[in-house]
Amino acid sequence: MSTIDSTVVLLACSDDGQVTRLPVHSSGRPSEVPVVALPARPDRTAIDPVLAQHEPRRVVVAGTDADLAAVLVRLLRTDRLAVEVAYLPSGPSAAATAWGLPSGADAERLALTGTASSVPLVRDDGGGVLVGRAEIRDIDGECYCDNVLVLRGTARRLVVVAGPDGIAVRAGWAGRTPDGRVRAVAPRAPRGRGSALGRAVQVGCRPATVVSDGVAHPRQVPRWTWYRHIENWLLVRPSIG
């Protein structure tokens, strides 16, 4: 996309009243992108009317990973996964790291002029999506990634990350980000911690709290699943290669 498109909308997500703007287009002209102020983690009552009114070809989400996930949920629920999504993180972002997104002026430039590519959409059985990082802390149970046993027993942290290659998971003590390598726990091992990359991650454990994109689930759960949706979403990100 080389010019500003009237069907691009900036969704500025914040509870503090501050509104992000795209001040200058790469051509030097003032940005013509309309800005819509939304609350943090906007729900359907906030987002759906905006989508219906503007019918955007691209939305630029300015906010946190949780804000990006909230917008993506509404695109999924309203059958709008053909809408391109650009992201301007307001602070440190696991999603930006996972998807190789820039920050600052480079992120603004990419949001306006970058090309969207089809990437895996990671859902969970709680009705949400994962755009960056999820954790279960002080877990006691089992975890499988596809057919690979990743955890049996206890771990300080089980970390799950969405990314271009699917869903990566690592069980351990330090909470390190999964690197995509497969380190399987032996099927007959009484306990063990490993890592994997695949299409689905299933957890069965003593009731624990799932934290997804920085937001804790409201209640402890004995099981949880992340899985790759049958459709992808369109993310504006730097060209590969």
Side-chain angles (χ1 to χ4, degrees), residues 87-89 101-114 236 238:
Y87 182 37
L88 300 179
L101 304 180
S103 59
D106 289 340
E108 295 177 359
R109 195 157 36 245
L110 179 69
L112 288 175
T113 64
V236 180

Side-chain angles (χ1 to χ4, degrees), residues 1 4-9 33-34 54-59 83:
M1 189 177 73
I4 289 182
D5 193 314
S6 61
T7 58
V8 177
V9 177
V33 175
H54 292 272
E55 297 185 351
R57 184 173 64 83
R58 173 176 296 185
V59 294
V83 174

Side-chain angles (χ1 to χ4, degrees), residues 25-106:
H25 181 239
S26 58
S27 66
R29 295 185 290 108
S31 173
E32 300 164 6
V33 175
V35 180
V36 178
L38 296 174
R41 296 167 53 201
D43 61 13
R44 66 178 184 178
T45 62
I47 299 177
D48 289 9
V50 175
L51 297 176
Q53 176 185 352
H54 292 272
E55 297 185 351
R57 184 173 64 83
R58 173 176 296 185
V59 294
V60 181
V61 181
T64 66
D65 289 358
D67 297 329
L68 176 60
V71 172
L72 188 54
V73 164
R74 296 316 308 160
L75 294 178
L76 170 65
R77 299 280 178 83
T78 58
D79 296 322
R80 288 185 170 95
L81 289 179
V83 174
E84 299 172 355
V85 181
Y87 182 37
L88 300 179
S90 57
S93 165
T97 300
W99 299 102
L101 304 180
S103 59
D106 289 340

Side-chain angles (χ1 to χ4, degrees), residues 41 66 133-135 208-221 224:
R41 296 167 53 201
R133 175 184 174 115
E135 287 189 6
T209 299
V210 178
V211 179
S212 182
D213 290 321
V215 179
H217 193 266
R219 64 183 183 277
Q220 293 190 323
V221 294
W224 196 263

